[in-house]
Amino acid sequence: MPTEKKKEFIYEAALSLIDESDDVSKIKVVDIAEKANIGKGTVYEYFSSKEQLIAESITYMLKKWINHLEDSFGEERSFKENYTLMLESVLSLMEKKHRTILGFISMSESGSHLYKSLNSLMKDSFEELQKSNLQFYEKIVDKSVEDGIIEEKPPLFDWYFAISSSILCVIIHEKHFEGDVGYNHQEIIEKAYNTYIKLLS
Amino acid sequence: MPTEKKKEFIYEAALSLIDESDDVSKIKVVDIAEKANIGKGTVYEYFSSKEQLIAESITYMLKKWINHLEDSFGEERSFKENYTLMLESVLSLMEKKHRTILGFISMSESGSHLYKSLNSLMKDSFEELQKSNLQFYEKIVDKSVEDGIIEEKPPLFDWYFAISSSILCVIIHEKHFEGDVGYNHQEIIEKAYNTYIKLLS
Amino acid sequence: MPTEKKKEFIYEAALSLIDESDDVSKIKVVDIAEKANIGKGTVYEYFSSKEQLIAESITYMLKKWINHLEDSFGEERSFKENYTLMLESVLSLMEKKHRTILGFISMSESGSHLYKSLNSLMKDSFEELQKSNLQFYEKIVDKSVEDGIIEEKPPLFDWYFAISSSILCVIIHEKHFEGDVGYNHQEIIEKAYNTYIKLLS
Amino acid sequence: MPTEKKKEFIYEAALSLIDESDDVSKIKVVDIAEKANIGKGTVYEYFSSKEQLIAESITYMLKKWINHLEDSFGEERSFKENYTLMLESVLSLMEKKHRTILGFISMSESGSHLYKSLNSLMKDSFEELQKSNLQFYEKIVDKSVEDGIIEEKPPLFDWYFAISSSILCVIIHEKHFEGDVGYNHQEIIEKAYNTYIKLLS
DNA sequence: CATGAATGAGGTTTCATTCAT
DNA sequence: AATGAATGAAACCTCATTCAT
């Protein structure tokens, strides 16, 4: 197996443990190795330390997610369709797995310091990712201006916050309001979409 | 020193380390003891384990913060004044300290699973706190309706999300947009306030 | 309360814990203090260390037992009556409590090294006790010669072993043969008595 | 080195420390590791806890001793030769080492409660060993009946006690009567043998 | 005298990392 | 390249003992 493939294999093992775990710091190298069906020592053929491995695994996941989002964004679709697809993507991520990672992404604003020790290790890739993220958000905004949904392109902070808030909407709902006190799927997506519109109008 | 006072003393030591620390799990009992100028063994006279101590410390901080917020909310002030004070409170918390705890509170929606292992130890007090938090939010909303800022009291989810989003606004700004690309203090508070208004109109 | 009385009070607490315990080394000073209804610090007003306390407690028990045995030995009774009373004394000790101590006494031959660390602390009193024990045994032998049960006083080793073996008889029976495969109370006392006779004839 | 061989290696280190030690509970894992010329952590690759290791070490020793005794018992030899060999085995054990263990075996009748905490960990193997011990004793008795030394096979308790007493004889002598007041080697073996004969006649 | 809060030496156990195979 | 046995630093927690009140 080529090196990069093997590393991805290990990433997946690490990520599944990160999601199962209550406490990332409690994950053991031996568990990751076992999950990946390789020997404990082999991990060190590919990564210089456990922290490096964890950091790279999260970076890997983040990249995959950004790519996934970007792929879902098609020029041929209307803005609302694209925006909705992005929100659906967030939701499906929450429903399925990688909740830890999701917190990491969407809440990086307030939560990233929880991982500062990781951040120092993933500083470069994390900054790169934040750039990608920002570019993707900007593509969204530009599209919304292009489609005439938003009259004029607002300042950076405003659109960054609008999209973050929109995502917060679906996340809060998913986590705390599922069931009786909340809305149905269609309604919450609509509400999140409207959040974007309202905040930038 | 009475027991409760001593415990609070230890809480403060723990909290200051939690805030200084990149990684809560790396904090050592001996460090907390040193910070509190007491012996290692003394910690165990007051707490049954390190985890218990950390969990109680965070609960203590959260309670203090909620109380602080509620105290800042005066019936004699206008809604906007009250709301602004609440946002200032969030900001001052971020600027000064307890960033970890802030993440804990404001992002509990998406981030709480990061603390699952703590939560299990502080389940009861945490639920109580979330109830307090919700009650405080509701007091805000009621005031805004009473003052005629909002025409009619919206559904639970809507106002909960509106306030969360408003707080997200100041947090994102504080963390990522300080300096050139952002706004000044007055502007960002105004923007956060408007977020609440917009989202509930 | 006079000092000696208080010490005896603490001895009794310690002894009851020694008997309840699987492992003498696991007994905590705080437990002894609690059992004696005194403060932890008070223990150190009477004893210089935990080991000292344990050692003295055992010595106290041993002395009490020897005295008890000697008191049971009356010149006016026949040898067999006296011997039987001694065996009953052993049995009652086993049935009631102080099994640990009993092991200590009767099995000091092979078991005492288990307590070497204690022995060093109780060396003097232990030697004194062994002397008392020996004197008591000798009184038994002399009586048996005097009463004509044994023709001639045998060498030290022989009578010491004969009595030890006799005691072993009731102990083994009590511990392992109670019930179906064993004898009734009368029979086993008789058997133990006969052991003495046989071994010295 | 295969796992079982390595464990035995660690057993031997532990046993030598048990014998040197005044107090089993004072033995440190690091000492056992040093004695075995391995790292402290390595011990935990083979045993789940210190108590487990101690318990298994004693079980190991007991098994070895029982096997040794049984091997020494040959059908082609006379009963007295066999019995004498068994007693010699006890004595050589006492002279050389494993005094703690010896107490454990021969005095298990009255002393086993001293090891209750160990027993709980080695319950199964200990029961198995006691069965082996009993079977060995019975083989001895049967041989004595077969050889006509004893007329008729006595009840279980009687022969069990007779052999125990016989062993007690050599143990007491070895521990307390070596030198002036005692007998020479030949005499004490003879005396112990006669104890068996007398008690079953 | 009596106390128990405070202490810290000391012991157990964990686990990331190494390295010989 | 892959392994996993071996390691020991590091951290938690216990508890005998002290000492100020």
Side-chain angles (χ1 to χ4, degrees):
Chain A
M1 204 190 291
T3 295
E4 200 47 46
K5 212 68 197 161
K6 190 101 174 197
K7 288 184 83 171
E8 286 183 14
F9 203 67
I10 300 172
Y11 292 149
E12 297 290 355
L15 287 167
S16 80
L17 285 172
I18 289 171
D19 281 320
E20 282 167 23
S21 171
D22 285 352
D23 187 345
V24 174
S25 72
K26 292 221 175 93
I27 294 170
K28 287 179 266 178
V29 171
V30 68
D31 292 336
I32 298 173
E34 255 167 37
K35 195 98 180 183
N37 287 314
I38 57 173
K40 202 183 347 163
T42 311
V43 168
Y44 287 86
E45 293 289 321
Y46 296 90
F47 304 94
S48 60
S49 74
K50 184 180 106 164
E51 292 233 308
Q52 188 63 240
L53 158 58
I54 299 282
E56 278 192 35
S57 296
I58 292 175
T59 301
Y60 165 81
M61 175 59 210
L62 296 177
K63 273 194 184 132
K64 247 177 78 175
W65 193 52
I66 296 275
N67 289 339
H68 181 226
L69 283 185
E70 288 187 332
D71 290 351
S72 75
F73 192 89
E75 297 295 336
E76 72 289 353
R77 279 191 286 274
S78 75
F79 169 72
K80 189 170 181 182
E81 279 171 333
N82 272 324
Y83 201 91
T84 299
L85 277 170
M86 184 269 282
L87 293 170
E88 298 281 7
S89 184
V90 172
L91 272 177
S92 75
L93 204 68
M94 287 190 72
E95 276 157 12
K96 277 194 303 204
K97 51 174 194 155
H98 297 317
R99 299 160 308 122
T100 302
I101 314 297
L102 178 65
F104 196 83
I105 299 171
S106 56
M107 288 308 117
S108 62
E109 291 78 27
S110 69
S112 67
H113 60 276
L114 295 173
Y115 296 95
K116 255 194 305 182
S117 62
L118 290 182
N119 283 352
S120 66
L121 282 170
M122 21 189 305
K123 205 171 182 316
D124 291 343
S125 58
F126 194 63
E127 277 172 7
E128 186 196 335
L129 277 163
Q130 291 206 307
K131 208 181 293 171
S132 296
N133 199 30
L134 210 62
Q135 281 170 356
F136 176 61
Y137 279 13
E138 187 155 26
K139 199 151 50 161
I140 291 176
V141 185
D142 289 341
K143 181 75 176 173
S144 69
V145 176
E146 193 186 311
D147 282 18
I149 312 289
I150 303 297
E151 281 193 22
E152 202 184 350
K153 188 175 177 181
L156 169 55
F157 174 77
D158 295 51
W159 54 258
Y160 183 75
F161 166 56
I163 296 172
S164 297
S165 189
S166 191
I167 291 172
L168 182 66
C169 180
V170 299
I171 287 173
I172 290 183
H173 189 269
E174 180 75 14
K175 289 220 49 146
H176 296 289
F177 290 85
E178 217 169 4
D180 43 348
V181 286
Y183 296 98
N184 67 36
H185 182 80
Q186 195 51 46
E187 287 167 340
I188 198 63
I189 293 285
E190 188 74 18
K191 203 169 269 287
Y193 175 73
N194 286 336
T195 296
Y196 176 81
I197 305 298
K198 277 183 183 174
L199 290 179
L200 295 185
S201 300
Chain B
M1 204 191 292
T3 295
E4 201 47 46
K5 211 70 196 158
K6 188 98 179 197
K7 287 185 83 171
E8 287 181 13
F9 198 69
I10 300 173
Y11 291 149
E12 297 290 356
L15 287 168
S16 79
L17 284 173
I18 289 172
D19 283 322
E20 282 167 24
S21 170
D22 286 350
D23 186 344
V24 174
S25 72
K26 291 228 174 81
I27 295 171
K28 286 177 275 177
V29 171
V30 70
D31 293 337
I32 297 173
E34 259 167 34
K35 194 95 183 184
N37 286 316
I38 58 173
K40 188 173 23 130
T42 311
V43 169
Y44 287 90
E45 294 288 318
Y46 295 90
F47 304 94
S48 59
S49 72
K50 189 181 94 163
E51 291 230 307
Q52 189 63 239
L53 160 56
I54 299 283
E56 276 193 36
S57 296
I58 292 175
T59 301
Y60 165 80
M61 175 57 210
L62 296 177
K63 272 193 184 133
K64 247 177 79 173
W65 193 53
I66 297 270
N67 288 341
H68 181 228
L69 282 185
E70 287 186 332
D71 290 350
S72 75
F73 192 90
E75 297 295 336
E76 72 288 351
R77 280 191 286 275
S78 75
F79 169 71
K80 190 171 179 181
E81 279 171 332
N82 272 324
Y83 201 91
T84 298
L85 277 170
M86 183 268 282
L87 293 171
E88 296 281 6
S89 183
V90 172
L91 271 177
S92 75
L93 203 69
M94 285 190 72
E95 277 158 10
K96 276 194 305 209
K97 50 174 194 156
H98 298 316
R99 299 159 304 125
T100 303
I101 315 297
L102 178 65
F104 197 82
I105 297 174
S106 56
M107 288 309 116
S108 62
E109 293 78 25
S110 69
S112 66
H113 60 275
L114 295 174
Y115 297 91
K116 260 189 299 178
S117 63
L118 288 182
N119 284 353
S120 67
L121 281 171
M122 26 189 299
K123 204 172 181 318
D124 291 342
S125 57
F126 192 65
E127 277 172 8
E128 187 196 334
L129 279 163
Q130 292 205 307
K131 208 182 291 172
S132 296
N133 199 31
L134 208 63
Q135 282 171 354
F136 176 61
Y137 281 12
E138 187 156 27
K139 201 152 48 161
I140 291 175
V141 184
D142 290 340
K143 180 74 175 174
S144 69
V145 175
E146 194 186 311
D147 283 16
I149 312 291
I150 302 297
E151 283 193 20
E152 200 183 353
K153 187 175 177 180
L156 171 55
F157 174 78
D158 294 50
W159 55 256
Y160 184 76
F161 166 56
I163 297 173
S164 297
S165 188
S166 191
I167 291 173
L168 181 65
C169 180
V170 299
I171 287 174
I172 290 183
H173 190 268
E174 181 74 14
K175 289 219 50 148
H176 295 290
F177 291 85
E178 219 168 1
D180 45 347
V181 288
Y183 295 97
N184 66 35
H185 181 80
Q186 196 51 47
E187 287 168 339
I188 197 64
I189 293 285
E190 188 74 18
K191 203 169 268 288
Y193 175 72
N194 286 336
T195 296
Y196 176 81
I197 305 299
K198 278 185 183 171
L199 290 179
L200 295 185
S201 299
Chain C
M1 202 189 291
T3 295
E4 201 47 48
K5 211 68 198 161
K6 189 101 174 196
K7 288 185 84 171
E8 286 183 13
F9 203 69
I10 299 173
Y11 293 148
E12 296 290 356
L15 287 167
S16 80
L17 285 172
I18 289 172
D19 281 321
E20 282 168 22
S21 172
D22 285 351
D23 186 346
V24 174
S25 72
K26 291 221 175 91
I27 294 170
K28 287 179 266 180
V29 171
V30 68
D31 293 336
I32 297 173
E34 255 167 37
K35 196 99 182 183
N37 286 314
I38 58 172
K40 203 185 344 166
T42 310
V43 169
Y44 288 86
E45 294 289 321
Y46 297 90
F47 304 95
S48 60
S49 73
K50 184 180 106 165
E51 292 233 308
Q52 187 64 238
L53 159 57
I54 299 283
E56 279 192 33
S57 296
I58 292 174
T59 300
Y60 165 81
M61 176 58 211
L62 296 178
K63 273 191 183 134
K64 248 178 77 175
W65 193 54
I66 296 275
N67 289 339
H68 182 226
L69 283 186
E70 288 186 332
D71 289 351
S72 75
F73 192 88
E75 297 295 337
E76 72 287 352
R77 279 192 287 274
S78 76
F79 169 72
K80 189 171 181 182
E81 278 170 334
N82 273 323
Y83 201 91
T84 298
L85 277 170
M86 184 268 284
L87 293 172
E88 296 281 7
S89 184
V90 172
L91 271 176
S92 76
L93 204 70
M94 286 191 72
E95 276 158 11
K96 276 194 305 207
K97 49 176 192 153
H98 298 314
R99 299 161 305 123
T100 303
I101 314 297
L102 179 64
F104 195 83
I105 298 170
S106 57
M107 289 308 117
S108 61
E109 293 77 27
S110 70
S112 68
H113 60 275
L114 295 173
Y115 295 95
K116 254 194 303 180
S117 62
L118 290 181
N119 283 353
S120 67
L121 282 170
M122 19 190 308
K123 202 171 184 318
D124 291 344
S125 58
F126 194 64
E127 276 173 8
E128 186 196 335
L129 278 163
Q130 292 206 308
K131 209 179 293 171
S132 296
N133 200 30
L134 210 62
Q135 282 171 355
F136 176 61
Y137 279 12
E138 187 155 28
K139 199 151 50 159
I140 292 176
V141 185
D142 289 342
K143 179 74 175 174
S144 68
V145 176
E146 192 186 314
D147 283 18
I149 312 290
I150 302 297
E151 284 192 19
E152 200 185 352
K153 187 173 177 183
L156 170 55
F157 174 78
D158 294 51
W159 53 258
Y160 183 76
F161 165 56
I163 298 172
S164 297
S165 188
S166 192
I167 291 173
L168 181 66
C169 180
V170 298
I171 288 174
I172 290 183
H173 189 268
E174 180 75 13
K175 289 221 48 144
H176 296 289
F177 291 85
E178 218 169 3
D180 43 348
V181 287
Y183 295 98
N184 66 38
H185 181 80
Q186 195 51 47
E187 288 168 340
I188 197 65
I189 293 284
E190 187 74 19
K191 202 169 271 286
Y193 175 73
N194 286 335
T195 296
Y196 176 82
I197 305 299
K198 277 185 185 172
L199 290 180
L200 295 185
S201 299
Chain D
M1 206 189 288
T3 294
E4 202 47 48
K5 213 69 196 160
K6 189 97 178 200
K7 287 186 84 171
E8 287 182 12
F9 199 67
I10 300 173
Y11 291 148
E12 297 290 356
L15 288 167
S16 79
L17 285 172
I18 289 171
D19 283 322
E20 283 167 22
S21 170
D22 285 350
D23 185 345
V24 174
S25 73
K26 290 228 174 81
I27 294 170
K28 286 178 274 177
V29 171
V30 69
D31 293 337
I32 298 173
E34 258 166 34
K35 194 94 182 184
N37 286 314
I38 58 173
K40 188 169 25 126
T42 309
V43 169
Y44 287 88
E45 293 288 319
Y46 295 90
F47 304 94
S48 58
S49 72
K50 187 179 95 162
E51 290 231 308
Q52 188 62 240
L53 159 57
I54 299 284
E56 276 192 34
S57 296
I58 292 175
T59 301
Y60 165 80
M61 175 57 210
L62 295 176
K63 274 196 184 129
K64 247 177 77 174
W65 193 52
I66 298 271
N67 288 340
H68 181 227
L69 283 185
E70 288 186 332
D71 290 350
S72 74
F73 191 90
E75 297 294 336
E76 72 287 352
R77 279 191 286 274
S78 75
F79 169 72
K80 189 170 180 181
E81 278 171 334
N82 272 323
Y83 201 90
T84 299
L85 277 170
M86 184 267 282
L87 293 171
E88 297 281 6
S89 182
V90 172
L91 272 178
S92 73
L93 203 68
M94 285 190 73
E95 277 158 10
K96 277 196 303 213
K97 50 175 193 156
H98 299 315
R99 298 159 305 125
T100 302
I101 315 298
L102 178 65
F104 196 84
I105 296 175
S106 55
M107 289 309 117
S108 62
E109 293 77 27
S110 69
S112 67
H113 59 276
L114 296 174
Y115 297 91
K116 260 191 299 179
S117 63
L118 289 183
N119 284 352
S120 68
L121 281 170
M122 25 189 299
K123 205 173 182 316
D124 290 343
S125 57
F126 192 64
E127 277 172 7
E128 188 197 333
L129 279 164
Q130 292 206 307
K131 207 180 294 172
S132 295
N133 199 31
L134 209 63
Q135 281 171 354
F136 177 61
Y137 281 13
E138 187 155 27
K139 201 153 47 161
I140 291 175
V141 184
D142 289 341
K143 180 76 174 172
S144 69
V145 175
E146 194 186 310
D147 283 17
I149 312 289
I150 303 297
E151 283 193 21
E152 201 184 352
K153 187 175 177 180
L156 170 55
F157 173 79
D158 295 51
W159 54 258
Y160 184 76
F161 165 56
I163 297 172
S164 298
S165 188
S166 190
I167 292 173
L168 181 66
C169 179
V170 297
I171 289 174
I172 290 182
H173 190 268
E174 180 75 14
K175 289 221 49 150
H176 297 290
F177 291 85
E178 217 168 3
D180 44 346
V181 287
Y183 296 96
N184 67 35
H185 181 80
Q186 195 51 45
E187 287 168 339
I188 197 64
I189 293 284
E190 187 74 19
K191 202 169 271 287
Y193 175 73
N194 286 336
T195 296
Y196 175 82
I197 304 300
K198 278 184 184 171
L199 290 179
L200 295 185
S201 299

